[in-house]
Structure formats: structure tokens, C-alpha cells
Amino acid sequence: SSGINAEYGVEFDCCGVNNATDFLTLTNSSIWNQNNVPDSCCKVMQSECGWQYKSDDDNIWHEGCLTKFISIIDNVQYSAIAVLVAVLVQVILIVISCTLRKDAEGLIA
């Protein structure tokens, strides 16, 4: 799952689930040094760029991936609503034009 999290970090310019400090809570020091973040958290991706990170470091993304993902979904939701409204308006205009055409045929005949 850390590979998936890393992919989201690179794609969405984010770090961790909530924020970059998520990685400070990992407790197994044989696996993870508490001063590190994954390289995918770096604004400029380089080998070991997340090592010895500090919380005020401008070289890493601080916003969490969950927050970023939710904001993207919200934007997609608004776009989807706009598209549905446009489609609904088009359907209403088609119905009105068909009705007017039918009425016009009755006047001509």
C-alpha cells in the first residue's frame, strides 16, 4: 500500500494521508527513520530527497493526499452537475421545438 500512497503523492502533489507529519507516527525504527518522508513527498523528486525532512521544509508537499483527493472529487462533482444541467436544457429545447413544429404543421395544413 505504500507504493499506492507514493503514486498518489506524485500524481496529486501531496504527502501522507492527512499531511506530511503522518510519517512521524511510524514506530518501527528498523523500517523507518522518524525524520524521513517518502521521496514521493518531495516537490522535486530525487533519490533520498525526503530523508532528514523538517516540518518547515519547503522542499516537500505538506498537504495530505486525502484532502487533495476530496477537493478533486468536489471539483468533478460540480462539473458533472453542470453537464447534467446543460443536457437537461438541451432536452427541454428539443421537446419545445418538436411541439412548435407540430403546431406549425397544423396551421399550414
PDB file of all heavy atoms in Angstrom, residues 31-66:
ATOM      1  N   ILE A  31      12.535  -0.024  10.281  1.00  0.00           N
ATOM      2  CA  ILE A  31      11.975   0.126   8.943  1.00  0.00           C
ATOM      3  C   ILE A  31      11.988   1.589   8.522  1.00  0.00           C
ATOM      4  O   ILE A  31      12.263   1.913   7.384  1.00  0.00           O
ATOM      5  CB  ILE A  31      10.532  -0.414   8.894  1.00  0.00           C
ATOM      6  CG1 ILE A  31      10.521  -1.903   9.190  1.00  0.00           C
ATOM      7  CG2 ILE A  31       9.878  -0.127   7.555  1.00  0.00           C
ATOM      8  CD1 ILE A  31       9.140  -2.494   9.296  1.00  0.00           C
ATOM      9  N   TRP A  32      11.730   2.468   9.466  1.00  0.00           N
ATOM     10  CA  TRP A  32      11.525   3.868   9.101  1.00  0.00           C
ATOM     11  C   TRP A  32      12.166   4.796  10.126  1.00  0.00           C
ATOM     12  O   TRP A  32      11.876   4.717  11.299  1.00  0.00           O
ATOM     13  CB  TRP A  32      10.033   4.154   9.024  1.00  0.00           C
ATOM     14  CG  TRP A  32       9.721   5.436   8.336  1.00  0.00           C
ATOM     15  CD1 TRP A  32       9.371   6.601   8.916  1.00  0.00           C
ATOM     16  CD2 TRP A  32       9.753   5.687   6.940  1.00  0.00           C
ATOM     17  NE1 TRP A  32       9.191   7.573   7.982  1.00  0.00           N
ATOM     18  CE2 TRP A  32       9.414   7.028   6.752  1.00  0.00           C
ATOM     19  CE3 TRP A  32      10.048   4.912   5.829  1.00  0.00           C
ATOM     20  CZ2 TRP A  32       9.349   7.609   5.495  1.00  0.00           C
ATOM     21  CZ3 TRP A  32       9.977   5.501   4.591  1.00  0.00           C
ATOM     22  CH2 TRP A  32       9.633   6.823   4.430  1.00  0.00           C
ATOM     23  N   ASN A  33      12.982   5.712   9.645  1.00  0.00           N
ATOM     24  CA  ASN A  33      13.553   6.742  10.499  1.00  0.00           C
ATOM     25  C   ASN A  33      12.498   7.830  10.664  1.00  0.00           C
ATOM     26  O   ASN A  33      11.928   8.293   9.686  1.00  0.00           O
ATOM     27  CB  ASN A  33      14.820   7.298   9.834  1.00  0.00           C
ATOM     28  CG  ASN A  33      15.482   8.385  10.636  1.00  0.00           C
ATOM     29  OD1 ASN A  33      14.838   9.106  11.393  1.00  0.00           O
ATOM     30  ND2 ASN A  33      16.780   8.510  10.455  1.00  0.00           N
ATOM     31  N   GLN A  34      12.238   8.274  11.887  1.00  0.00           N
ATOM     32  CA  GLN A  34      11.159   9.221  12.147  1.00  0.00           C
ATOM     33  C   GLN A  34      11.384  10.596  11.504  1.00  0.00           C
ATOM     34  O   GLN A  34      10.486  11.409  11.465  1.00  0.00           O
ATOM     35  CB  GLN A  34      10.964   9.388  13.654  1.00  0.00           C
ATOM     36  CG  GLN A  34      10.656   8.086  14.370  1.00  0.00           C
ATOM     37  CD  GLN A  34       9.421   7.377  13.831  1.00  0.00           C
ATOM     38  OE1 GLN A  34       8.392   7.994  13.638  1.00  0.00           O
ATOM     39  NE2 GLN A  34       9.519   6.089  13.568  1.00  0.00           N
ATOM     40  N   ASN A  35      12.570  10.870  11.008  1.00  0.00           N
ATOM     41  CA  ASN A  35      12.845  12.149  10.349  1.00  0.00           C
ATOM     42  C   ASN A  35      12.660  12.080   8.841  1.00  0.00           C
ATOM     43  O   ASN A  35      12.962  13.044   8.150  1.00  0.00           O
ATOM     44  CB  ASN A  35      14.281  12.603  10.644  1.00  0.00           C
ATOM     45  CG  ASN A  35      14.463  12.916  12.103  1.00  0.00           C
ATOM     46  OD1 ASN A  35      13.569  13.462  12.740  1.00  0.00           O
ATOM     47  ND2 ASN A  35      15.608  12.559  12.643  1.00  0.00           N
ATOM     48  N   ASN A  36      12.185  10.952   8.316  1.00  0.00           N
ATOM     49  CA  ASN A  36      12.070  10.756   6.875  1.00  0.00           C
ATOM     50  C   ASN A  36      10.622  10.852   6.410  1.00  0.00           C
ATOM     51  O   ASN A  36       9.696  10.548   7.148  1.00  0.00           O
ATOM     52  CB  ASN A  36      12.599   9.378   6.473  1.00  0.00           C
ATOM     53  CG  ASN A  36      14.072   9.216   6.722  1.00  0.00           C
ATOM     54  OD1 ASN A  36      14.773  10.169   7.042  1.00  0.00           O
ATOM     55  ND2 ASN A  36      14.550   7.996   6.582  1.00  0.00           N
ATOM     56  N   VAL A  37      10.474  11.253   5.168  1.00  0.00           N
ATOM     57  CA  VAL A  37       9.214  11.101   4.437  1.00  0.00           C
ATOM     58  C   VAL A  37       9.577  10.402   3.136  1.00  0.00           C
ATOM     59  O   VAL A  37      10.736  10.442   2.710  1.00  0.00           O
ATOM     60  CB  VAL A  37       8.517  12.458   4.164  1.00  0.00           C
ATOM     61  CG1 VAL A  37       8.053  13.109   5.442  1.00  0.00           C
ATOM     62  CG2 VAL A  37       9.388  13.387   3.360  1.00  0.00           C
ATOM     63  N   PRO A  38       8.618   9.753   2.484  1.00  0.00           N
ATOM     64  CA  PRO A  38       8.936   9.103   1.206  1.00  0.00           C
ATOM     65  C   PRO A  38       9.402  10.124   0.171  1.00  0.00           C
ATOM     66  O   PRO A  38       9.013  11.293   0.214  1.00  0.00           O
ATOM     67  CB  PRO A  38       7.606   8.478   0.782  1.00  0.00           C
ATOM     68  CG  PRO A  38       6.800   8.386   2.020  1.00  0.00           C
ATOM     69  CD  PRO A  38       7.242   9.512   2.895  1.00  0.00           C
ATOM     70  N   ASP A  39      10.211   9.683  -0.751  1.00  0.00           N
ATOM     71  CA  ASP A  39      10.692  10.574  -1.807  1.00  0.00           C
ATOM     72  C   ASP A  39       9.541  11.129  -2.645  1.00  0.00           C
ATOM     73  O   ASP A  39       9.669  12.188  -3.237  1.00  0.00           O
ATOM     74  CB  ASP A  39      11.688   9.844  -2.701  1.00  0.00           C
ATOM     75  CG  ASP A  39      12.997   9.548  -1.981  1.00  0.00           C
ATOM     76  OD1 ASP A  39      13.255  10.139  -0.916  1.00  0.00           O
ATOM     77  OD2 ASP A  39      13.758   8.717  -2.498  1.00  0.00           O
ATOM     78  N   SER A  40       8.415  10.426  -2.666  1.00  0.00           N
ATOM     79  CA  SER A  40       7.259  10.907  -3.426  1.00  0.00           C
ATOM     80  C   SER A  40       6.665  12.177  -2.819  1.00  0.00           C
ATOM     81  O   SER A  40       5.890  12.869  -3.466  1.00  0.00           O
ATOM     82  CB  SER A  40       6.188   9.826  -3.513  1.00  0.00           C
ATOM     83  OG  SER A  40       5.752   9.478  -2.213  1.00  0.00           O
ATOM     84  N   CYS A  41       7.055  12.506  -1.584  1.00  0.00           N
ATOM     85  CA  CYS A  41       6.587  13.742  -0.948  1.00  0.00           C
ATOM     86  C   CYS A  41       7.385  14.960  -1.401  1.00  0.00           C
ATOM     87  O   CYS A  41       6.994  16.098  -1.120  1.00  0.00           O
ATOM     88  CB  CYS A  41       6.701  13.633   0.571  1.00  0.00           C
ATOM     89  SG  CYS A  41       5.545  12.470   1.319  1.00  0.00           S
ATOM     90  N   CYS A  42       8.488  14.752  -2.072  1.00  0.00           N
ATOM     91  CA  CYS A  42       9.349  15.864  -2.485  1.00  0.00           C
ATOM     92  C   CYS A  42       8.768  16.590  -3.688  1.00  0.00           C
ATOM     93  O   CYS A  42       8.231  15.967  -4.598  1.00  0.00           O
ATOM     94  CB  CYS A  42      10.743  15.349  -2.836  1.00  0.00           C
ATOM     95  SG  CYS A  42      11.578  14.568  -1.454  1.00  0.00           S
ATOM     96  N   LYS A  43       8.906  17.913  -3.696  1.00  0.00           N
ATOM     97  CA  LYS A  43       8.437  18.710  -4.822  1.00  0.00           C
ATOM     98  C   LYS A  43       9.279  18.438  -6.059  1.00  0.00           C
ATOM     99  O   LYS A  43       8.778  18.430  -7.171  1.00  0.00           O
ATOM    100  CB  LYS A  43       8.465  20.195  -4.466  1.00  0.00           C
ATOM    101  CG  LYS A  43       7.428  20.557  -3.422  1.00  0.00           C
ATOM    102  CD  LYS A  43       7.467  22.022  -3.081  1.00  0.00           C
ATOM    103  CE  LYS A  43       6.419  22.338  -2.030  1.00  0.00           C
ATOM    104  NZ  LYS A  43       6.455  23.756  -1.636  1.00  0.00           N
ATOM    105  N   VAL A  44      10.578  18.219  -5.852  1.00  0.00           N
ATOM    106  CA  VAL A  44      11.481  17.822  -6.929  1.00  0.00           C
ATOM    107  C   VAL A  44      11.979  16.429  -6.563  1.00  0.00           C
ATOM    108  O   VAL A  44      12.730  16.264  -5.611  1.00  0.00           O
ATOM    109  CB  VAL A  44      12.666  18.802  -7.081  1.00  0.00           C
ATOM    110  CG1 VAL A  44      13.620  18.319  -8.158  1.00  0.00           C
ATOM    111  CG2 VAL A  44      12.169  20.199  -7.373  1.00  0.00           C
ATOM    112  N   MET A  45      11.543  15.429  -7.315  1.00  0.00           N
ATOM    113  CA  MET A  45      11.834  14.045  -6.980  1.00  0.00           C
ATOM    114  C   MET A  45      13.291  13.709  -7.250  1.00  0.00           C
ATOM    115  O   MET A  45      13.775  13.865  -8.374  1.00  0.00           O
ATOM    116  CB  MET A  45      10.930  13.127  -7.804  1.00  0.00           C
ATOM    117  CG  MET A  45      11.071  11.679  -7.449  1.00  0.00           C
ATOM    118  SD  MET A  45      10.135  11.301  -6.003  1.00  0.00           S
ATOM    119  CE  MET A  45       8.885  10.326  -6.714  1.00  0.00           C
ATOM    120  N   GLN A  46      13.990  13.319  -6.173  1.00  0.00           N
ATOM    121  CA  GLN A  46      15.367  12.856  -6.254  1.00  0.00           C
ATOM    122  C   GLN A  46      15.535  11.728  -5.258  1.00  0.00           C
ATOM    123  O   GLN A  46      14.769  11.625  -4.308  1.00  0.00           O
ATOM    124  CB  GLN A  46      16.349  13.984  -5.909  1.00  0.00           C
ATOM    125  CG  GLN A  46      16.284  15.177  -6.816  1.00  0.00           C
ATOM    126  CD  GLN A  46      17.137  16.332  -6.296  1.00  0.00           C
ATOM    127  OE1 GLN A  46      17.591  16.323  -5.164  1.00  0.00           O
ATOM    128  NE2 GLN A  46      17.337  17.319  -7.143  1.00  0.00           N
ATOM    129  N   SER A  47      16.540  10.922  -5.464  1.00  0.00           N
ATOM    130  CA  SER A  47      16.798   9.826  -4.541  1.00  0.00           C
ATOM    131  C   SER A  47      17.123  10.382  -3.153  1.00  0.00           C
ATOM    132  O   SER A  47      17.943  11.286  -3.015  1.00  0.00           O
ATOM    133  CB  SER A  47      17.961   8.980  -5.055  1.00  0.00           C
ATOM    134  OG  SER A  47      18.231   7.943  -4.138  1.00  0.00           O
ATOM    135  N   GLU A  48      16.423   9.869  -2.172  1.00  0.00           N
ATOM    136  CA  GLU A  48      16.609  10.227  -0.754  1.00  0.00           C
ATOM    137  C   GLU A  48      16.313  11.697  -0.455  1.00  0.00           C
ATOM    138  O   GLU A  48      16.787  12.251   0.528  1.00  0.00           O
ATOM    139  CB  GLU A  48      18.019   9.863  -0.281  1.00  0.00           C
ATOM    140  CG  GLU A  48      18.321   8.390  -0.409  1.00  0.00           C
ATOM    141  CD  GLU A  48      19.733   8.012   0.017  1.00  0.00           C
ATOM    142  OE1 GLU A  48      20.485   8.886   0.486  1.00  0.00           O
ATOM    143  OE2 GLU A  48      20.063   6.826  -0.119  1.00  0.00           O
ATOM    144  N   CYS A  49      15.496  12.344  -1.282  1.00  0.00           N
ATOM    145  CA  CYS A  49      15.184  13.755  -1.042  1.00  0.00           C
ATOM    146  C   CYS A  49      14.300  13.947   0.188  1.00  0.00           C
ATOM    147  O   CYS A  49      14.278  15.028   0.762  1.00  0.00           O
ATOM    148  CB  CYS A  49      14.521  14.379  -2.269  1.00  0.00           C
ATOM    149  SG  CYS A  49      12.946  13.617  -2.736  1.00  0.00           S
ATOM    150  N   GLY A  50      13.592  12.907   0.621  1.00  0.00           N
ATOM    151  CA  GLY A  50      12.737  13.013   1.801  1.00  0.00           C
ATOM    152  C   GLY A  50      13.441  12.680   3.101  1.00  0.00           C
ATOM    153  O   GLY A  50      12.833  12.765   4.170  1.00  0.00           O
ATOM    154  N   TRP A  51      14.711  12.329   3.033  1.00  0.00           N
ATOM    155  CA  TRP A  51      15.439  11.968   4.244  1.00  0.00           C
ATOM    156  C   TRP A  51      15.785  13.214   5.040  1.00  0.00           C
ATOM    157  O   TRP A  51      16.093  14.257   4.489  1.00  0.00           O
ATOM    158  CB  TRP A  51      16.713  11.202   3.895  1.00  0.00           C
ATOM    159  CG  TRP A  51      16.435   9.838   3.334  1.00  0.00           C
ATOM    160  CD1 TRP A  51      15.312   9.434   2.671  1.00  0.00           C
ATOM    161  CD2 TRP A  51      17.299   8.715   3.366  1.00  0.00           C
ATOM    162  NE1 TRP A  51      15.421   8.136   2.290  1.00  0.00           N
ATOM    163  CE2 TRP A  51      16.638   7.666   2.700  1.00  0.00           C
ATOM    164  CE3 TRP A  51      18.571   8.501   3.875  1.00  0.00           C
ATOM    165  CZ2 TRP A  51      17.202   6.415   2.552  1.00  0.00           C
ATOM    166  CZ3 TRP A  51      19.124   7.249   3.719  1.00  0.00           C
ATOM    167  CH2 TRP A  51      18.449   6.215   3.070  1.00  0.00           C
ATOM    168  N   GLN A  52      15.712  13.085   6.321  1.00  0.00           N
ATOM    169  CA  GLN A  52      16.025  14.184   7.248  1.00  0.00           C
ATOM    170  C   GLN A  52      15.148  15.409   6.985  1.00  0.00           C
ATOM    171  O   GLN A  52      15.595  16.536   7.095  1.00  0.00           O
ATOM    172  CB  GLN A  52      17.516  14.561   7.163  1.00  0.00           C
ATOM    173  CG  GLN A  52      18.466  13.440   7.467  1.00  0.00           C
ATOM    174  CD  GLN A  52      18.260  12.873   8.874  1.00  0.00           C
ATOM    175  OE1 GLN A  52      18.076  13.621   9.820  1.00  0.00           O
ATOM    176  NE2 GLN A  52      18.270  11.555   9.003  1.00  0.00           N
ATOM    177  N   TYR A  53      13.908  15.152   6.674  1.00  0.00           N
ATOM    178  CA  TYR A  53      12.980  16.258   6.420  1.00  0.00           C
ATOM    179  C   TYR A  53      12.663  16.967   7.735  1.00  0.00           C
ATOM    180  O   TYR A  53      12.641  16.390   8.791  1.00  0.00           O
ATOM    181  CB  TYR A  53      11.716  15.702   5.749  1.00  0.00           C
ATOM    182  CG  TYR A  53      10.431  15.970   6.488  1.00  0.00           C
ATOM    183  CD1 TYR A  53       9.718  17.121   6.221  1.00  0.00           C
ATOM    184  CD2 TYR A  53       9.944  15.092   7.443  1.00  0.00           C
ATOM    185  CE1 TYR A  53       8.540  17.379   6.888  1.00  0.00           C
ATOM    186  CE2 TYR A  53       8.773  15.351   8.115  1.00  0.00           C
ATOM    187  CZ  TYR A  53       8.072  16.504   7.837  1.00  0.00           C
ATOM    188  OH  TYR A  53       6.913  16.767   8.503  1.00  0.00           O
ATOM    189  N   LYS A  54      12.381  18.225   7.649  1.00  0.00           N
ATOM    190  CA  LYS A  54      11.932  19.022   8.798  1.00  0.00           C
ATOM    191  C   LYS A  54      10.517  19.507   8.472  1.00  0.00           C
ATOM    192  O   LYS A  54      10.161  19.723   7.322  1.00  0.00           O
ATOM    193  CB  LYS A  54      12.844  20.223   9.004  1.00  0.00           C
ATOM    194  CG  LYS A  54      14.311  19.880   9.057  1.00  0.00           C
ATOM    195  CD  LYS A  54      14.782  19.816  10.482  1.00  0.00           C
ATOM    196  CE  LYS A  54      16.265  19.640  10.596  1.00  0.00           C
ATOM    197  NZ  LYS A  54      16.814  18.396  10.205  1.00  0.00           N
ATOM    198  N   SER A  55       9.684  19.699   9.471  1.00  0.00           N
ATOM    199  CA  SER A  55       8.277  20.047   9.237  1.00  0.00           C
ATOM    200  C   SER A  55       8.111  21.392   8.530  1.00  0.00           C
ATOM    201  O   SER A  55       7.086  21.655   7.931  1.00  0.00           O
ATOM    202  CB  SER A  55       7.507  20.054  10.558  1.00  0.00           C
ATOM    203  OG  SER A  55       8.036  21.032  11.420  1.00  0.00           O
ATOM    204  N   ASP A  56       9.137  22.263   8.587  1.00  0.00           N
ATOM    205  CA  ASP A  56       9.024  23.546   7.892  1.00  0.00           C
ATOM    206  C   ASP A  56       9.754  23.535   6.547  1.00  0.00           C
ATOM    207  O   ASP A  56       9.989  24.581   5.953  1.00  0.00           O
ATOM    208  CB  ASP A  56       9.578  24.668   8.774  1.00  0.00           C
ATOM    209  CG  ASP A  56      11.040  24.466   9.128  1.00  0.00           C
ATOM    210  OD1 ASP A  56      11.571  23.373   8.855  1.00  0.00           O
ATOM    211  OD2 ASP A  56      11.642  25.387   9.686  1.00  0.00           O
ATOM    212  N   ASP A  57      10.101  22.373   6.091  1.00  0.00           N
ATOM    213  CA  ASP A  57      10.850  22.226   4.846  1.00  0.00           C
ATOM    214  C   ASP A  57       9.976  22.585   3.647  1.00  0.00           C
ATOM    215  O   ASP A  57       8.909  22.013   3.444  1.00  0.00           O
ATOM    216  CB  ASP A  57      11.346  20.781   4.734  1.00  0.00           C
ATOM    217  CG  ASP A  57      12.341  20.583   3.609  1.00  0.00           C
ATOM    218  OD1 ASP A  57      12.603  21.524   2.847  1.00  0.00           O
ATOM    219  OD2 ASP A  57      12.849  19.468   3.502  1.00  0.00           O
ATOM    220  N   ASP A  58      10.426  23.518   2.829  1.00  0.00           N
ATOM    221  CA  ASP A  58       9.675  23.930   1.645  1.00  0.00           C
ATOM    222  C   ASP A  58       9.883  22.997   0.465  1.00  0.00           C
ATOM    223  O   ASP A  58       9.265  23.186  -0.581  1.00  0.00           O
ATOM    224  CB  ASP A  58      10.077  25.349   1.234  1.00  0.00           C
ATOM    225  CG  ASP A  58       9.581  26.393   2.215  1.00  0.00           C
ATOM    226  OD1 ASP A  58       8.567  26.126   2.893  1.00  0.00           O
ATOM    227  OD2 ASP A  58      10.210  27.460   2.296  1.00  0.00           O
ATOM    228  N   ASN A  59      10.729  21.996   0.612  1.00  0.00           N
ATOM    229  CA  ASN A  59      11.027  21.096  -0.494  1.00  0.00           C
ATOM    230  C   ASN A  59      10.088  19.903  -0.577  1.00  0.00           C
ATOM    231  O   ASN A  59      10.214  19.093  -1.481  1.00  0.00           O
ATOM    232  CB  ASN A  59      12.470  20.598  -0.396  1.00  0.00           C
ATOM    233  CG  ASN A  59      13.452  21.739  -0.565  1.00  0.00           C
ATOM    234  OD1 ASN A  59      13.230  22.649  -1.344  1.00  0.00           O
ATOM    235  ND2 ASN A  59      14.536  21.688   0.190  1.00  0.00           N
ATOM    236  N   ILE A  60       9.164  19.782   0.362  1.00  0.00           N
ATOM    237  CA  ILE A  60       8.208  18.663   0.326  1.00  0.00           C
ATOM    238  C   ILE A  60       6.786  19.214   0.305  1.00  0.00           C
ATOM    239  O   ILE A  60       6.535  20.365   0.673  1.00  0.00           O
ATOM    240  CB  ILE A  60       8.384  17.703   1.513  1.00  0.00           C
ATOM    241  CG1 ILE A  60       8.047  18.397   2.820  1.00  0.00           C
ATOM    242  CG2 ILE A  60       9.760  17.102   1.553  1.00  0.00           C
ATOM    243  CD1 ILE A  60       7.787  17.439   3.939  1.00  0.00           C
ATOM    244  N   TRP A  61       5.880  18.369  -0.160  1.00  0.00           N
ATOM    245  CA  TRP A  61       4.459  18.700  -0.121  1.00  0.00           C
ATOM    246  C   TRP A  61       3.963  18.456   1.284  1.00  0.00           C
ATOM    247  O   TRP A  61       4.250  17.417   1.874  1.00  0.00           O
ATOM    248  CB  TRP A  61       3.675  17.848  -1.116  1.00  0.00           C
ATOM    249  CG  TRP A  61       4.143  17.979  -2.522  1.00  0.00           C
ATOM    250  CD1 TRP A  61       4.804  17.041  -3.244  1.00  0.00           C
ATOM    251  CD2 TRP A  61       4.005  19.111  -3.378  1.00  0.00           C
ATOM    252  NE1 TRP A  61       5.090  17.522  -4.493  1.00  0.00           N
ATOM    253  CE2 TRP A  61       4.619  18.788  -4.603  1.00  0.00           C
ATOM    254  CE3 TRP A  61       3.440  20.372  -3.228  1.00  0.00           C
ATOM    255  CZ2 TRP A  61       4.655  19.680  -5.676  1.00  0.00           C
ATOM    256  CZ3 TRP A  61       3.479  21.254  -4.292  1.00  0.00           C
ATOM    257  CH2 TRP A  61       4.083  20.903  -5.493  1.00  0.00           C
ATOM    258  N   HIS A  62       3.221  19.368   1.854  1.00  0.00           N
ATOM    259  CA  HIS A  62       2.718  19.214   3.213  1.00  0.00           C
ATOM    260  C   HIS A  62       1.250  18.814   3.259  1.00  0.00           C
ATOM    261  O   HIS A  62       0.811  18.221   4.239  1.00  0.00           O
ATOM    262  CB  HIS A  62       2.929  20.510   4.015  1.00  0.00           C
ATOM    263  CG  HIS A  62       4.370  20.777   4.295  1.00  0.00           C
ATOM    264  ND1 HIS A  62       5.039  20.211   5.343  1.00  0.00           N
ATOM    265  CD2 HIS A  62       5.289  21.517   3.626  1.00  0.00           C
ATOM    266  CE1 HIS A  62       6.307  20.604   5.338  1.00  0.00           C
ATOM    267  NE2 HIS A  62       6.477  21.391   4.293  1.00  0.00           N
ATOM    268  N   GLU A  63       0.491  19.107   2.203  1.00  0.00           N
ATOM    269  CA  GLU A  63      -0.929  18.775   2.190  1.00  0.00           C
ATOM    270  C   GLU A  63      -1.118  17.270   2.049  1.00  0.00           C
ATOM    271  O   GLU A  63      -0.412  16.611   1.295  1.00  0.00           O
ATOM    272  CB  GLU A  63      -1.631  19.498   1.039  1.00  0.00           C
ATOM    273  CG  GLU A  63      -3.127  19.310   1.050  1.00  0.00           C
ATOM    274  CD  GLU A  63      -3.826  20.102  -0.045  1.00  0.00           C
ATOM    275  OE1 GLU A  63      -3.147  20.706  -0.893  1.00  0.00           O
ATOM    276  OE2 GLU A  63      -5.064  20.100  -0.046  1.00  0.00           O
ATOM    277  N   GLY A  64      -2.084  16.726   2.778  1.00  0.00           N
ATOM    278  CA  GLY A  64      -2.361  15.300   2.729  1.00  0.00           C
ATOM    279  C   GLY A  64      -3.072  14.882   1.455  1.00  0.00           C
ATOM    280  O   GLY A  64      -3.806  15.670   0.846  1.00  0.00           O
ATOM    281  N   CYS A  65      -2.866  13.637   1.050  1.00  0.00           N
ATOM    282  CA  CYS A  65      -3.462  13.137  -0.191  1.00  0.00           C
ATOM    283  C   CYS A  65      -4.975  12.987  -0.080  1.00  0.00           C
ATOM    284  O   CYS A  65      -5.684  13.187  -1.063  1.00  0.00           O
ATOM    285  CB  CYS A  65      -2.821  11.810  -0.574  1.00  0.00           C
ATOM    286  SG  CYS A  65      -1.081  11.973  -1.020  1.00  0.00           S
ATOM    287  N   LEU A  66      -5.489  12.660   1.104  1.00  0.00           N
ATOM    288  CA  LEU A  66      -6.933  12.529   1.272  1.00  0.00           C
ATOM    289  C   LEU A  66      -7.609  13.882   1.053  1.00  0.00           C
ATOM    290  O   LEU A  66      -8.599  13.976   0.329  1.00  0.00           O
ATOM    291  CB  LEU A  66      -7.274  11.985   2.665  1.00  0.00           C
ATOM    292  CG  LEU A  66      -8.757  11.794   2.960  1.00  0.00           C
ATOM    293  CD1 LEU A  66      -9.383  10.797   1.990  1.00  0.00           C
ATOM    294  CD2 LEU A  66      -8.962  11.334   4.392  1.00  0.00           C
TER     295      LEU A  66
END
